[in-house]
């Protein structure tokens, strides 16, 4: 709830910083960056369904409670993107924030702040995931990179 409150204040108090940091005018390169940005948003959206969209947003919990059923967390599984990186949802956000043919100072400030926020928040999420899933997540953590798919960690010997 605190994160949502901070974001509301951020959106409310945001001021435009229109100075250009970079501008890609070559049409094919600009479209390539737009495509990469769209890919990032596609990864964000589809990642929520790969794990469990309704559980992630609290809808499954509400539905079960309304029907008088007990909530059980989804079991840990490696599927699709989650075999490549541990946090594809966050990777998608980072790609979407940075892949732009026109980077203003305001956009740059936003991209830096959100990337730092994501990387710090992932430290807390990793701790919670280890608590929730134990050795299964610990083994997964040793094998699969956190956000950047390259270079791949060495397999344990």
């Amino acid at each position: 709830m605190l994160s949502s409150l901070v974001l509301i204040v951020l959106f409310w108090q945001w001021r435009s910083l229109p100075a250009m940091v970079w501008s890609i005018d070559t049409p094919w390169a600009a479209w390539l960056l737009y495509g990469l940005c769209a890919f990032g948003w596609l990864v964000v959206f589809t990642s929520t369904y790969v794990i469990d969209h309704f559980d992630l947003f609290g809808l499954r919990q509400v539905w079960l409670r309304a029907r008088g059923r007990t909530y059980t967390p989804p079991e840990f599984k490696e599927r699709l993107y989650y075999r490549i990186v541990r946090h594809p949802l966050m990777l998608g956000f980072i790609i979407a924030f940075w892949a732009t043919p026109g980077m203003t100072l305001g956009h740059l400030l936003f991209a830096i702040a959100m990337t730092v926020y994501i990387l710090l928040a992932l430290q807390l999420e990793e701790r919670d995931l280890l608590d929730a899933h134990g050795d299964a997540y610990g083994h997964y953590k040793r094998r699969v990179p956190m956000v950047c798919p390259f270079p791949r960690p060495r397999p344990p010997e």
Side-chain angles (χ1 to χ4, degrees), residues 13 27 37 47 60 92 94 104-105 132 150:
Q13 290 297 311
C37 180
S47 291
R60 182 170 165 259
I94 291 169
T104 65
L105 192 55
F150 305 106

Side-chain angles (χ1 to χ4, degrees), residues 87-128:
H87 302 282
L89 182 76
M90 298 303 136
L91 174 60
F93 275 126
I94 291 169
I95 291 169
F97 296 155
W98 286 95
T100 180
M103 179 67 80
T104 65
L105 192 55
H107 188 147
L108 179 63
L109 175 63
F110 175 79
I112 290 170
M114 290 306 298
T115 301
V116 168
Y117 175 81
I118 286 168
L119 294 175
L120 291 174
L122 285 179
Q123 302 310 309
L124 300 173
E125 184 175 358
E126 290 270 306
R127 186 183 64 200
D128 292 345

